[in-house]
Amino acid sequence: MASDASAPVPVPAAAAGQPVPKRRGSYNCGRCGLPKKGHVCSVPGPASANGGGGGAKAGEPTQPPPQQQNKPRRALQFDDPAVKVEEEEEEAVVVVVDAVPVSMAPPQPQPPLPPPPAPPAVAGRKRPRVEVVHVDEEEVGEGEAEEEDSGPERVDLGAGRRAPGEVLVEVLRRMAPRGVAAAAGVSREWRECARRVWRGAEEVRLRANSVRPVGALMARCPALARLVLRMDSDVDATMLACIAFSCPNLQSLDISMANNAVNRISGDELSRFVSEKRSLSVLKLDSCSSLGFLNISSSSLSTLWLSGLCSLTKAVMNCPNLNELSLDFPKQNNDSTDLVALMDSLGRTCPNLRNMHISSIHLCNEAVFALESANLRGLCMLSLVLGTKITDAAVASIVRSFASLELLDLSGSSITDNGLGMICNAFPDTLTRLLMALCPNITSSGVQVAAAQLPLLRLMDCGKSICAKPQPEDGRSYFGELTGGIKFCSKLPIQKKQQPSYQKLIIKHSNLKKLSLWGCSAIDALYVNCPELVDLNLNSCMNLHPERLLIQCPKLKDVHVNGCRDMLIGAIRNQVLNEFAAAEPRLPCKRLADGSKRVHVPHFMMEQLEEPEKWGRPRKSQCTVHLN
């Protein structure tokens, strides 16, 4: 019968004397996979060989059993496949011959499905617990970063003392790279803190003697954005290649030379480096005498400082976002750089230039006129240093070209008091810093006019400008005898010392904070009344008389008097430090309430009176007199 055919195959009993393990069948139907409880299977069972006979007849060959078919699974299956396989191996095997797929079976009303029972536990195995949590990608990234940066909670400091790891990391961040590398060798916890410092470092200042330590350090700093190097050895293209490979997100690079080191970077190598580093915004290089030419093209570069330039055959800077430019040429007469062409091209290639500094002894009026044609209306800082050929005509061109200069540096030029007057009339509302050191044609009258007509001025440098010049002496003659005759001879100039002309200077300003008069040997009388002045430089003012000096600056903090006479230094100390002022007498007396009689105050009351004065009195700012 069909029922007999579908019955499970009996399993032979175990050997005598051995316990028979208890076996359980499956809770689901062997035909359709539904739970057996309250279930009537609609899938027909396997038919017999004779169409429902009791068994096989004698003499007929027995048909081989059909191949086992995979049972259909429900859409929601909570059974573990591995556990299910082991359970099926233990239970009886059910053979289905004429099974019909569930999807093709005739639809019949099914009772509601009860919640599926939990599968039987398997000895020696625990079912894993799975939790579904929604996590954003940003949170995953933050979690990974926190996991990477997480260091030891407590760090051993020695002698049984421990400190939080965050405290040690903050201490290591304030140390030099050499100190951080040494701290990494203390222990494993210290090494983890040092790794956190390297991974999170955004700026590194390093002094090295070769490329190797620089490359080893940058490999530990994936987030490095600003690098400052001071090299004791020669630098070439290998250094640029190492930086370009190890620092993909570098934004600022500063390389300076020390101990007579030579910068061997050529113009081609520098141009290639700048064009490849698309994130580079600040570039500062020292001793650029080997460039030969300058051809820089970058859309991200905003600051460019090049010092030690010499004989540039070509100077092209195609940087539309460049804000600050500094070119420093050495004091060499054989320099063949065409500054006029350089100034003329800046207006086309760097239209957003705001700060410009050029130092060269070949600066002249023609270069300033070319700068006027460049039409850089947004320029705020202009520094043209060591241009001995710059005169008042160049000052007139500057006044016409720029209307909002905040800093003007014409140190080393040949401008006069008339040029200073034009500057004061053009920039009374914007100019805050004026530097005119090493200008021999400026007098104390021009300096006084500049201080009076520039109310926003905060810095003024007139060093080595007001110098003592000997007055030309009238030619005198005397008669002398030579070989029995009389001959007219001019008097030698060294026979009588010429007297220089001295000047007096009066500076009265309400916003001036720094005043530099170093090397002004022609000043013999000085009066300074600046309530906000904090720094005064009087180095090498040898002819300044102590009796004709008056300093009224209550906020003065630093006074430089190197090279001055001892009497002048004493007078300055007396005025700024008030060393010889007598202290106010403290009388231990007190009047009664009616004011009739003065009595002596006891000693314990004197201490009580002095204590609030000690803590409540505002402390006067101390001024320092620098002798060196």
Side-chain angles (χ1 to χ4, degrees):
M1 297 178 63
S3 60
D4 297 338
S6 61
V9 180
V11 181
Q18 295 183 0
V20 180
K22 185 177 181 180
R23 300 180 180 179
R24 297 180 180 178
S26 176
Y27 288 93
N28 299 333
C29 179
R31 302 177 185 176
C32 61
L34 297 177
K36 294 180 179 179
K37 186 176 181 180
H39 167 63
V40 178
C41 185
S42 60
V43 180
S48 61
N50 297 328
K57 295 182 180 181
E60 294 183 359
T62 306
Q63 297 180 358
Q67 297 181 359
Q68 182 180 359
Q69 298 181 0
N70 295 331
K71 297 180 295 183
R73 297 175 59 88
R74 293 184 300 161
L76 298 177
Q77 182 69 26
F78 294 88
D79 297 336
D80 191 357
V83 179
K84 189 72 176 180
V85 170
E86 294 180 3
E87 292 176 357
E88 291 177 358
E89 292 177 356
E90 294 177 359
E91 66 182 8
V93 179
V94 179
V95 181
V96 180
V97 179
D98 298 332
V100 180
V102 175
S103 59
M104 298 181 62
Q108 294 183 3
Q110 298 290 342
L113 297 178
V122 180
R125 178 177 299 181
K126 294 184 179 180
R127 185 176 180 85
R129 184 177 181 181
V130 181
E131 296 182 359
V132 180
V133 182
H134 178 70
V135 182
D136 295 335
E137 295 180 359
E138 298 179 356
E139 297 178 357
V140 172
E142 294 177 359
E144 293 176 356
E146 293 178 358
E147 184 177 357
E148 291 179 358
D149 293 341
S150 61
E153 296 181 357
R154 308 288 292 182
V155 181
D156 188 9
L157 301 180
R161 295 176 297 178
R162 300 181 66 85
E166 292 78 3
V167 176
L168 182 59
V169 170
E170 292 298 329
V171 173
L172 293 179
R173 284 177 180 173
R174 290 162 173 79
M175 296 176 61
R178 188 183 300 273
V180 178
V186 175
S187 64
R188 181 179 300 176
E189 298 173 347
W190 284 61
R191 183 166 60 253
E192 292 298 329
C193 294
R195 288 178 181 176
R196 291 183 58 186
V197 173
W198 294 127
R199 286 196 298 265
E202 296 182 357
E203 180 177 0
V204 173
R205 298 176 179 268
L206 179 65
R207 182 166 183 172
N209 54 4
S210 63
V211 183
R212 184 175 180 180
V214 177
L217 178 62
M218 290 187 297
R220 305 177 184 178
C221 307
L224 187 62
R226 296 178 297 274
L227 178 61
V228 180
L229 294 178
R230 185 165 180 83
M231 301 301 299
D232 293 330
S233 61
D234 296 350
V235 176
D236 53 7
T238 307
M239 176 65 71
L240 293 182
C242 179
I243 295 174
F245 177 77
S246 303
C247 305
N249 300 322
L250 189 65
Q251 299 178 4
S252 176
L253 176 62
D254 186 356
I255 301 178
S256 58
M257 315 306 294
N259 298 333
N260 298 325
V262 180
N263 186 355
R264 304 185 184 278
I265 300 176
S266 63
D268 289 334
E269 297 164 351
L270 182 61
S271 302
R272 189 181 308 110
F273 174 78
V274 173
S275 61
E276 292 178 356
K277 300 299 292 183
R278 301 185 182 276
S279 61
L280 189 65
S281 60
V282 178
L283 177 61
K284 300 179 182 180
L285 290 181
D286 188 16
S287 303
C288 302
S289 58
S290 302
L291 288 181
F293 70 94
L294 196 62
N295 187 8
I296 295 179
S297 178
S298 174
S299 59
S300 62
L301 197 63
S302 61
T303 302
L304 178 62
W305 287 14
L306 300 177
S307 62
L309 297 171
C310 182
S311 300
L312 295 179
T313 59
K314 179 182 178 182
V316 177
M317 288 166 285
N318 187 11
C319 304
N321 295 323
L322 190 65
N323 293 329
E324 185 173 351
L325 175 64
S326 176
L327 303 178
D328 189 4
F329 295 86
K331 299 179 181 179
Q332 297 180 1
N333 294 326
N334 57 353
D335 188 11
S336 60
T337 305
D338 191 358
L339 295 178
V340 177
L342 174 62
M343 295 286 194
D344 189 26
S345 63
L346 290 178
R348 298 187 302 270
T349 58
C350 306
N352 296 324
L353 197 61
R354 296 180 58 86
N355 303 332
M356 184 172 64
H357 167 78
I358 296 180
S359 175
S360 175
I361 60 175
H362 297 284
L363 282 172
C364 56
N365 292 340
E366 288 75 12
V368 180
F369 298 156
L371 186 62
E372 180 183 0
S373 63
N375 196 18
L376 297 174
R377 298 297 180 182
L379 203 65
C380 296
M381 188 196 83
L382 179 60
S383 176
L384 304 176
V385 183
L386 302 180
T388 56
K389 300 179 182 179
I390 294 179
T391 61
D392 293 342
V395 175
S397 176
I398 293 173
V399 170
R400 291 192 304 265
S401 304
F402 314 109
S404 59
L405 282 181
E406 299 177 2
L407 182 146
L408 181 60
D409 187 1
L410 297 177
S411 300
S413 62
S414 300
I415 63 173
T416 62
D417 293 344
N418 295 331
L420 279 181
M422 289 188 288
I423 294 173
C424 297
N425 295 331
F427 312 110
D429 300 329
T430 59
L431 196 63
T432 59
R433 289 167 288 179
L434 179 61
L435 296 93
M436 43 191 176
L438 300 173
C439 297
N441 298 329
I442 291 178
T443 62
S444 59
S445 300
V447 176
Q448 291 180 181
V449 171
Q453 296 185 3
L454 297 174
L456 301 181
L457 203 62
R458 295 186 178 182
L459 170 64
M460 178 182 288
D461 185 6
C462 307
K464 207 73 175 181
S465 295
I466 310 175
C467 298
K469 300 177 183 178
Q471 295 180 352
E473 188 178 1
D474 297 336
R476 299 181 181 180
S477 60
Y478 70 97
F479 292 93
E481 295 183 359
L482 183 61
T483 63
I486 298 176
K487 185 178 180 180
F488 181 81
C489 300
S490 61
K491 185 179 179 181
L492 297 177
I494 60 175
Q495 291 182 357
K496 186 176 181 181
K497 187 176 180 180
Q498 300 176 359
Q499 297 295 331
S501 59
Y502 296 110
Q503 307 174 28
K504 62 179 179 180
L505 181 62
I506 300 175
I507 302 293
K508 188 175 182 180
H509 203 281
S510 59
N511 293 324
L512 193 63
K513 292 188 175 182
K514 291 186 178 181
L515 177 62
S516 179
L517 300 173
W518 61 275
C520 294
S521 57
I523 299 177
D524 63 341
L526 177 63
Y527 171 62
V528 181
N529 184 2
C530 301
E532 300 295 330
L533 191 68
V534 295
D535 192 298
L536 178 61
N537 191 347
L538 298 176
N539 289 336
S540 301
C541 292
M542 299 174 292
N543 297 320
L544 186 59
H545 292 279
E547 298 83 3
R548 307 181 67 180
L549 173 67
L550 181 59
I551 300 176
Q552 295 180 352
C553 306
K555 296 184 179 180
L556 195 60
K557 294 183 179 180
D558 298 287
V559 181
H560 305 270
V561 292
N562 185 22
C564 298
R565 294 180 297 177
D566 295 340
M567 292 292 294
L568 179 61
I569 296 175
I572 293 174
R573 286 181 178 273
N574 186 20
Q575 295 189 25
V576 300
L577 299 180
N578 199 15
E579 292 180 345
F580 304 103
E584 296 181 359
R586 295 183 177 271
L587 300 177
C589 301
K590 182 180 180 181
R591 288 187 177 273
L592 296 179
D594 55 356
S596 58
K597 187 177 180 181
R598 178 174 293 181
V599 296
H600 187 76
V601 178
H603 181 69
F604 70 92
M605 293 188 64
M606 283 292 301
E607 295 180 354
Q608 294 179 1
L609 290 175
E610 291 179 357
E611 185 175 358
E613 293 181 359
K614 178 180 179 181
W615 297 103
R617 180 186 302 174
R619 295 184 179 181
K620 185 178 180 180
S621 59
Q622 296 293 332
C623 181
T624 304
V625 179
H626 301 273
L627 300 178
N628 297 324

